């Protein structure tokens, strides 16, 4: 209840505390003393009164509205005058410019004599200021002032000479005018003259003269209405706030009396003599006062000396706690004569005993809500099953329990889904998390596998699916069969109370959470069971999400690994090492590949599909397969990327046609072909990062390559660059997950990469380890693909190259030269087969191609024969009929060689055949 001071209209006898007689109202007192200066009414129009301020506000609003209306009319009138002057001037000029006979008159001897009367007549009838006809140079033929005829027109005529109509506002000989200039065309459309018409803006009439009196009259009427309304409102306010009558005062006192005795706060009023004037019902209950306490001195009420001293002392006290019987009362005491009131004091009493109990309950509820809030924030910060279980134990230990353990079924840890429905018995569980106030506990340690007997609360949770509360473990003998020795150790350690809660989500029971308290703590109560269930339910949902993520991540990783290279192919052109690290939070679409090509060449590929998940991994597999297929065509890098770009566009079109959302959001790729015979690497990239080139001396550079758009856009063609690589240099290809992270930008990552690579003499494997050690982030959020290739050169003595004349007789010399070269290489046994292959290829080139023919032999792990010509037509393998004279050559080549094929060059084509050296050639 609000504290009162001064006068107290609560006396049971109906008398005022000051001794005034009842029935004499404030209005009556005012009427009895009309000359009292304290009740002087304020005039109606006083600025300090509400009515006066309301009147001034309404007058100001009306005046503002009137001013705004006048300004609007003025602006509109000015705009209307200008528009009217433009319209009338343009109409007159257009009429004269298109009048019949005007062109013939202008071609006469004296146009002014004919046109001046006509223009003046039209000007006067049309109410215009001037109509001027001029030639192309602006020399007037007509003018209202004849002395100005033959002089130059004042205004802009150049746009009209170009066939346009010119409207402008000028200050001419007649004043401020709006004029229009219109071209005059002859029968062929040629502009032969100009017509201008104009008038002064001041001559155009406006409606403001008619509207302004209406606006001013309306404003005056509104001001009058506002004044009358203000007067009515002021009179009503004065009537409503003038005072209350006796009946209203009586009802107000009765209401105050009812409120006084209904509140749950004691009120006791003591006069200057220390006698009780008033005590409400709550004060009588709290102080245990007799029914005749009013009118008696405080000292005679049987109160404790401290309480009696405070109530009779008239000293101020705020929330002073006094003991009255078995209650603790919070007392507030104030004197009543501070503002001219009668001497005495008024005290309010509150039972703080009940308030303390309520405060304890509120504090407990607030602590519970704070714990649940902290649990909702702390649990589920990651998608890791074990970490989520640990977060549950950490948030509950010390605030809710002394020890917390989490046991999960084995399938949950691997991402599998436990069986739905009830269990017949508890399955085998693994303890994944444990936290406590001490480490010397006898509970199962984290990582241990155990099974609970059917009589234990943990097993009952799995069978019933409901939580179990054990307030006192000493009397819970029915589950000693689990492990009597360990159970006795648990009791000896001091564990006294237990709550076991199921970890259940989507109807699947995944494990149990156990909350333990020792003897020094308060045993668990029934009301705390719901708190444990709420924390466990939050943890169960997070564990289930982490389990499902683990399963999907494992599937995506398995798919991704199945689509990546299982091993590196055999080749002698490059010494290669690679690393592939999938993201920790999701599988991406990064990939790499090493593809051997004909002629001892090797293709290196690295790419990145935007996005994460199964779709990104599957798209990566499709792109890798496409690159391998396109590489069999032996295409240049830029052509291969063009085919790959077209493939991704087609995939997106098919996905869009099927109304699917899983479209390829974009992909980058870098494709390089290294030729060890020349040491040249041809590269092209589609939006991918630049490769790093480490020279034999340790110098690092990022060679400039045309960027090209990402795959799937199809907006620009791709370009390739030929880059000579010194023998022993390393080409480093990578994806953006290596150099880009949330904590650093890509430029910083490239600088770190260059620093890590700047070390000569390292093997590719050592280079990979150094790069990952320097750039691998603490928490990897994207896939990382790293490919390091150190170059080798094919020795010149293993290359034989010669030109063959386009003459059938030269085939024999070529065979003899090949036999000598193979004998020099120690491959005399392969001479016969090689002669057959080369003879057939040279014969086909002489017969079907033109230009120079070259033969090249390459000795690597295989023997490669290449025949090049300038024709772009490739031969095809076919079966020859019995009566055909030819058509069996390529069939013979295909049978003798391990493999053969054709690749195109800028100057023609190369037909190659490869023979294995580790098996019989025939």
């Amino acid at each position: 209840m609000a504290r009162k001071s001064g006068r107290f209209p609560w006396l049971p006898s109906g008398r005022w505390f000051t001794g005034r007689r009842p029935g004499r109202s404030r209005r009556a007192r005012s009427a009895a003393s009309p000359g009292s200066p304290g009740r002087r009414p304020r005039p109606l129009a006083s600025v300090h009164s509400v009515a006066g301020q309301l009147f001034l506000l309404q007058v100001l609003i009306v005046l503002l509205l009137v001013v705004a209306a006048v300004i609007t009319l003025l602006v509109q009138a000015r705009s209307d005058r200008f528009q009217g002057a433009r319209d009338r001037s343009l109409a007159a000029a257009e009429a004269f410019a298109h009048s019949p006979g005007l062109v013939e008159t202008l071609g006469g001897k004296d146009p002014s004599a004919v046109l001046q009367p006509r223009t003046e007549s039209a000007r006067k009838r049309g109410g215009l200021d001037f109509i001027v006809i001029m030639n192309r140079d602006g020399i007037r033929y007509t003018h209202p002032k004849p002395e100005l005829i033959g002089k130059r027109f004042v205004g802009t005529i150049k746009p009209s000479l170009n066939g346009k109509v010119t409207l402008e506002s000028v200050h001419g000989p007649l004043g401020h005018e709006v004029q229009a200039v219109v071209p005059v065309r002859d029968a062929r459309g040629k502009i032969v003259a100009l017509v201008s018409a104009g008038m002064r803006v001041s001559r155009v009439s406006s409606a403001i003269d008619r509207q302004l009196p209406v606006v001013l009259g309306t404003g005056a009427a509104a001001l009058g209405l506002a004044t009358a309304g203000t007067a009515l409102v002021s009179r009503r306010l004065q009537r409503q706030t003038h005072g209350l009558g006796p009946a209203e005062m009586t009802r107000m006192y009765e209401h105050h009396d009812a409120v006084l005795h209904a509140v749950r706060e004691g009120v006791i009023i003591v006069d200057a003599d220390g006698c009780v004037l008033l005590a409400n019902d709550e004060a009588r209950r709290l102080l245990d006062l007799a029914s005749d306490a009013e009118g008696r001195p405080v000292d005679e009420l049987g109160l404790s000396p401290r309480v009696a001293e405070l109530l009779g002392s008239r000293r101020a006290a705020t929330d002073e706690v006094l003991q009255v019987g078995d209650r603790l009362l919070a007392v507030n005491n104030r004197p009543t004569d501070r503002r001219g009131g009668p001497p005495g004091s008024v005290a309010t009493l509150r039972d703080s005993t009940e308030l303390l109990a309520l405060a304890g309950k509120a504090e407990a509820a607030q602590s519970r809500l704070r714990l649940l809030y902290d649990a909702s924030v702390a649990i589920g910060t990651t998608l890791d099953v074990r970490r989520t279980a640990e977060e549950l134990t950490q948030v509950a230990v010390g605030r809710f329990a002394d020890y917390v353990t989490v046991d999960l079924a084995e399938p949950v840890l691997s991402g599998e889904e436990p069986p739905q429905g009830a269990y017949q018995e508890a399955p085998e569980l693994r303890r994944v998390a444990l936290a406590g106030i001490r480490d010397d506990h006898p509970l199962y340690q984290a990582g241990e596998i155990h099974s609970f007997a059917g009589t234990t609360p943990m097993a009952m949770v799995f069978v019933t699916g409901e939580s179990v509360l054990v307030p006192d473990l000493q009397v819970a003998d029915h589950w000693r069969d689990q492990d009597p020795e360990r159970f006795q150790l648990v009791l000896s350690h001091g564990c006294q109370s237990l709550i076991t809660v199921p970890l259940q989500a989507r109807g699947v029971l995944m494990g149990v959470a156990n909350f333990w308290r020792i003897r020094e703590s308060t045993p668990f109560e029934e009301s705390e069971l719901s708190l444990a269930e709420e924390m466990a339910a939050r943890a169960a949902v997070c564990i289930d999400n982490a389990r499902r993520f683990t399963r999907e991540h494992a599937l995506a990783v398995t798919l991704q690994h199945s689509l990546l290279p299982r091993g590196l192919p055999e080749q002698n052109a490059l010494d290669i090492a690679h690393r592939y690290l999938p993201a920790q939070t999701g599988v991406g679409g990064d990939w790499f590949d090493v593809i051997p090509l004909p002629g001892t060449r090797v293709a290196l590929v690295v790419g990145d599909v935007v996005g994460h998940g199964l779709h990104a991994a599957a798209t990566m597999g499709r792109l890798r397969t496409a690159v391998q297929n396109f590489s069999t065509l032996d295409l240049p890098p830029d052509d291969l990327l063009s085919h790959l770009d077209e493939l991704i566009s087609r995939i997106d079109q098919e996905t869009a046609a099927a109304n699917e959302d899983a479209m390829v959001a974009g992909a980058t790729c870098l494709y390089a072909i290294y030729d060890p015979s020349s040491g040249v690497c041809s590269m092209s990239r589609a939006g991918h990062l630049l490769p790093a080139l480490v020279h034999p001396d340790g110098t690092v550079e990022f060679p400039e390559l045309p960027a090209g758009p990402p795959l799937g856009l199809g907006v620009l063609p791709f370009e390739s660059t030929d880059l000579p690589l010194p023998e022993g240099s390393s080409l480093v290809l990578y994806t953006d997950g290596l150099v880009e992270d949330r904590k650093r930008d890509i430029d910083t990552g490239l600088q770190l990469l260059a620093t890590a690579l700047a070390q000569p003499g390292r093997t590719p494997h050592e280079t990979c380890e150094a790069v990952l050690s320097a750039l691998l982030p603490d928490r990897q959020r994207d896939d990382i693909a790293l490919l390091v290739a150190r170059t080798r050169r094919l020795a010149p003595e293993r290359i034989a190259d010669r030109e063959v004349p386009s003459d059938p007789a030269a085939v024999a010399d070529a065979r003899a030269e090949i036999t000598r070269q193979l004998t020099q290489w120690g491959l005399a046994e392969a001479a016969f087969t090689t002669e057959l292959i080369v003879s057939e290829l040279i014969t086909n080139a002489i017969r079907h191609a033109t230009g120079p023919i070259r033969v090249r032999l390459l000795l690597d792990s295989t023997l490669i024969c290449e025949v090049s010509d300038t024709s772009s037509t490739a031969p095809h393998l076919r079966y020859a009929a019995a009566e055909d004279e030819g058509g069996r050559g390529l069939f013979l080549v295909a049978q003798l060689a391990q493999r053969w094929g054709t690749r195109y060059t800028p100057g023609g084509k190369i037909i190659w055949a490869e023979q294995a050296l580790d098996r019989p050639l025939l």
Side-chain angles (χ1 to χ4, degrees):
M1 177 178 177
R3 304 186 187 99
K4 305 282 186 178
S5 64
R7 298 180 178 87
F8 304 95
W10 298 295
L11 288 180
S13 62
R15 295 193 302 269
W16 289 90
F17 177 74
T18 57
R20 297 188 182 96
R21 291 179 297 172
R24 187 176 177 86
S25 66
R26 185 175 299 174
R27 182 182 300 175
R29 293 194 302 270
S30 299
S33 56
S36 176
R39 301 287 297 183
R40 184 178 303 164
R42 291 177 178 175
L44 177 63
S46 175
V47 178
H48 298 286
S49 65
V50 176
Q53 294 177 358
L54 181 60
F55 173 74
L56 292 179
L57 178 61
Q58 291 185 353
V59 169
L60 180 61
I61 292 174
V62 171
L63 290 177
L64 289 177
L65 291 176
V66 172
V67 171
V70 171
I71 293 174
T72 303
L73 287 176
L74 292 175
V75 173
Q76 184 64 35
R78 184 176 183 274
S79 176
D80 291 345
R81 285 178 173 177
F82 273 96
Q83 187 62 37
R86 290 192 188 97
D87 293 344
R88 293 172 63 178
S89 300
L90 180 61
E94 288 283 358
F96 256 91
H98 296 86
S99 61
L102 177 61
V103 176
E104 291 77 5
T105 303
L106 290 173
K109 293 182 179 180
D110 190 3
S112 297
V114 179
L115 296 177
Q116 175 68 10
R118 297 180 182 178
T119 56
E120 283 301 297
S121 176
R123 178 184 67 81
K124 294 176 180 179
R125 293 180 181 181
L128 300 174
D129 288 328
F130 70 88
I131 298 178
V132 175
I133 301 176
M134 70 197 84
N135 61 12
R136 289 179 54 88
D137 296 328
I139 303 302
R140 299 187 183 99
Y141 292 127
T142 64
H143 195 274
K145 296 180 179 180
E147 64 272 13
L148 297 180
I149 296 175
K151 296 184 179 181
R152 183 174 296 276
F153 175 73
V154 179
T156 303
I157 63 174
K158 185 175 181 181
S160 299
L161 293 175
N162 294 328
K164 298 181 180 180
V165 176
T166 304
L167 291 171
E168 59 181 343
S169 176
V170 299
H171 292 275
L174 302 178
H176 186 197
E177 303 166 334
V178 175
Q179 63 185 19
V181 181
V182 178
V184 178
R185 300 178 184 270
D186 58 9
R188 293 176 297 176
K190 182 180 178 181
I191 299 175
V192 297
L194 302 175
V195 177
S196 176
M199 64 181 302
R200 294 192 300 275
V201 177
S202 58
R203 296 188 60 187
V204 181
S205 62
S206 175
I208 187 173
D209 299 334
R210 299 187 303 274
Q211 295 175 351
L212 187 59
V214 176
V215 172
L216 295 178
T218 304
L223 183 60
L225 290 175
T227 304
T230 303
L232 294 176
V233 171
S234 300
R235 291 180 181 177
R236 185 164 185 178
L237 287 174
Q238 288 180 350
R239 288 198 302 269
Q240 291 180 348
T241 59
H242 194 272
L244 297 175
E248 290 79 2
M249 292 293 294
T250 302
R251 285 196 298 269
M252 182 183 68
Y253 294 155
E254 291 175 351
H255 173 72
H256 286 178
D257 187 69
V259 172
L260 176 67
H261 294 285
V263 295
R264 293 295 304 274
E265 186 172 359
V267 178
I268 183 169
I269 302 174
V270 181
D271 62 9
D273 299 328
C275 296
V276 177
L277 292 179
L278 182 144
N280 67 349
D281 296 342
E282 185 68 9
R284 295 173 184 272
R285 184 182 71 85
L286 295 177
L287 297 177
D288 196 15
L289 298 178
S291 57
D292 57 348
E294 294 179 353
R296 297 173 56 186
V298 176
D299 297 338
E300 300 178 3
L301 298 179
L303 302 176
S304 64
R306 187 177 176 186
V307 175
E309 184 273 333
L310 177 60
L311 295 179
S313 64
R314 297 171 56 189
R315 66 179 177 88
T318 301
D319 289 336
E320 186 171 336
V321 179
L322 302 177
Q323 185 170 2
V324 179
D326 57 350
R327 295 188 180 95
L328 292 176
L329 303 183
V331 182
N332 290 275
N333 194 47
R334 295 290 186 275
T336 59
D337 55 356
R338 288 185 173 182
R339 298 181 180 178
S345 64
V346 58
T348 59
L349 314 171
R350 296 195 310 274
D351 191 351
S352 61
T353 306
E354 298 178 1
L355 292 177
L356 289 176
L358 291 175
K361 294 180 180 179
E363 184 177 358
Q366 185 178 10
S367 176
R368 172 174 175 170
L369 291 175
R370 189 181 302 111
L371 177 58
L372 289 177
Y373 172 77
D374 293 343
S376 65
V377 173
I379 299 174
T381 59
T382 66
L383 290 173
D384 183 81
V385 174
R386 286 183 173 82
R387 180 58 189 158
T388 303
E390 292 172 356
E391 290 170 347
L392 171 61
T393 61
Q394 292 171 359
V395 77
V397 165
R399 302 175 61 181
F400 180 71
D402 299 316
Y403 294 95
V404 182
T405 62
V406 176
D407 304 321
L408 298 177
E410 282 291 329
V412 177
L413 299 176
S414 59
E416 301 176 9
E417 187 157 344
Q420 295 187 357
Y423 286 81
Q424 299 298 326
E425 59 181 7
E428 191 175 62
L429 301 176
R430 181 182 294 274
R431 179 147 294 174
V432 296
L434 184 150
I437 58 176
R438 288 159 47 187
D439 296 333
D440 57 340
H441 54 79
L443 302 174
Y444 292 116
Q445 296 294 330
E448 292 189 40
I449 299 177
H450 51 272
S451 298
F452 291 106
T455 57
T456 60
M458 297 77 168
M460 294 172 59
V461 166
F462 267 96
V463 175
T464 62
E466 298 179 355
S467 304
V468 176
L469 168 64
V470 183
D472 190 359
L473 294 175
Q474 295 285 351
V475 299
D477 296 335
H478 58 283
W479 59 295
R480 290 177 181 267
D481 297 337
Q482 164 69 26
D483 190 343
E485 183 178 355
R486 185 180 293 272
F487 178 71
Q488 188 59 41
L489 290 175
V490 171
L491 295 180
S492 301
H493 184 70
C495 293
Q496 176 189 14
S497 184
L498 169 68
I499 290 180
T500 299
V501 183
L503 296 174
Q504 190 172 5
R506 298 186 303 107
V508 177
L509 186 57
M510 299 174 290
V512 293
N514 305 309
F515 303 90
W516 306 78
R517 282 185 182 175
I518 59 178
R519 296 190 188 96
E520 289 77 5
S521 303
T522 305
F524 283 117
E525 299 178 355
E526 191 71 27
S527 60
E528 295 176 305
L529 186 61
S530 60
L531 178 57
E533 290 175 342
E534 290 180 16
M535 287 192 295
R538 166 69 181 175
V541 172
C542 296
I543 290 174
D544 185 59
N545 291 338
R547 176 194 63 79
R548 298 169 67 184
F549 172 78
T550 301
R551 180 184 61 185
E552 295 181 3
H553 186 265
L555 291 174
V557 169
T558 302
L559 173 63
Q560 186 183 45
H561 286 178
S562 66
L563 296 175
L564 289 171
R566 301 294 179 88
L568 296 179
E570 295 183 2
Q571 48 81 31
N572 296 324
L574 297 169
D575 184 11
I576 296 177
H578 65 89
R579 296 292 186 272
Y580 190 88
L581 301 177
Q584 297 178 0
T585 57
V587 176
D590 295 13
W591 91 93
F592 69 94
D593 213 341
V594 179
I595 306 172
L597 298 178
T600 69
R601 297 170 304 138
V602 178
L604 302 177
V605 189
V606 65
D608 183 6
V609 176
V610 177
H612 293 82
L614 290 174
H615 176 68
T619 303
M620 176 268 291
R622 298 177 71 176
L623 293 180
R624 178 173 178 258
T625 302
V627 170
Q628 289 183 334
N629 292 335
F630 290 146
S631 65
T632 60
L633 301 177
D634 215 341
L635 299 173
D638 51 347
D639 288 348
L640 186 140
L641 291 182
S642 298
H643 286 286
L644 206 61
D645 180 75
E646 183 179 356
L647 172 64
I648 292 183
S649 299
R650 188 161 57 250
I651 292 174
D652 283 344
Q653 291 175 2
E654 293 174 355
T655 305
N659 295 324
E660 298 179 5
D661 296 331
M663 297 181 64
V664 179
T668 64
C669 183
L670 190 149
Y671 186 80
I673 299 177
Y674 175 69
D675 188 353
S677 63
S678 62
V680 175
C681 183
S682 180
M683 290 181 283
S684 182
R685 64 185 180 121
H688 202 78
L689 297 174
L690 289 172
L693 178 60
V694 185
H695 291 273
D697 60 354
T699 305
V700 180
E701 67 169 320
F702 295 91
E704 288 295 334
L705 302 178
L711 297 175
L713 298 182
V715 292
L716 294 173
F718 299 99
E719 300 180 47
S720 61
T721 301
D722 293 336
L723 186 67
L725 301 182
E727 185 174 8
S729 60
S730 296
L731 188 64
V732 181
L733 309 181
Y734 51 92
T735 56
D736 58 356
L738 179 67
V739 296
E740 190 174 14
D741 188 59
R742 291 185 177 181
K743 297 182 180 179
R744 64 170 181 251
D745 56 17
I746 192 169
D747 294 333
T748 304
L750 291 176
Q751 294 177 0
L752 294 175
L753 176 62
T755 303
L757 292 174
Q759 182 68 34
R762 284 192 302 208
T763 65
H765 288 280
E766 293 172 347
T767 302
C768 288
E769 293 299 328
V771 169
L772 293 181
S773 176
L775 281 86
L776 190 64
D778 297 334
R779 182 168 182 80
Q780 183 184 340
R781 301 180 182 274
D782 196 3
D783 292 356
I784 295 177
L786 176 63
L787 189 64
V788 180
R790 188 167 59 182
T791 60
R792 298 171 181 167
R793 291 291 298 271
L794 189 62
E797 60 269 15
R798 289 177 170 262
I799 303 173
D801 188 5
R802 63 166 293 176
E803 184 173 343
V804 178
S806 183
D807 185 2
V811 177
D813 295 337
R815 286 200 303 265
E817 183 67 25
I818 290 171
T819 301
R820 286 192 299 269
Q821 183 64 54
L822 293 180
T823 302
Q824 182 180 350
W825 285 344
L827 299 175
E829 69 277 4
F832 178 72
T833 304
T834 305
E835 286 181 7
L836 291 177
I837 294 175
V838 174
S839 297
E840 179 59 33
L841 296 181
I842 294 176
T843 302
N844 283 341
I846 293 173
R847 181 177 300 176
H848 301 291
T850 60
I853 300 172
R854 300 194 67 86
V855 178
R856 188 171 72 157
L857 297 181
L858 302 175
L859 178 59
D860 193 41
S861 59
T862 59
L863 179 61
I864 303 171
C865 305
E866 296 180 348
V867 176
S868 61
D869 56 55
T870 58
S871 174
S872 59
T873 303
H876 297 282
L877 184 65
R878 64 185 181 88
Y879 288 96
E883 63 276 7
D884 289 344
E885 296 182 0
R888 298 174 180 83
L890 286 181
F891 182 80
L892 181 62
V893 172
Q895 296 299 316
L896 295 176
Q898 182 181 13
R899 55 180 185 151
W900 73 282
T902 304
R903 73 173 183 268
Y904 293 95
T905 63
K909 68 175 181 299
I910 296 176
I911 303 178
W912 56 270
E914 183 177 320
Q915 304 174 67
L917 300 179
D918 56 351
R919 64 179 179 86
L921 299 176
L922 290 176

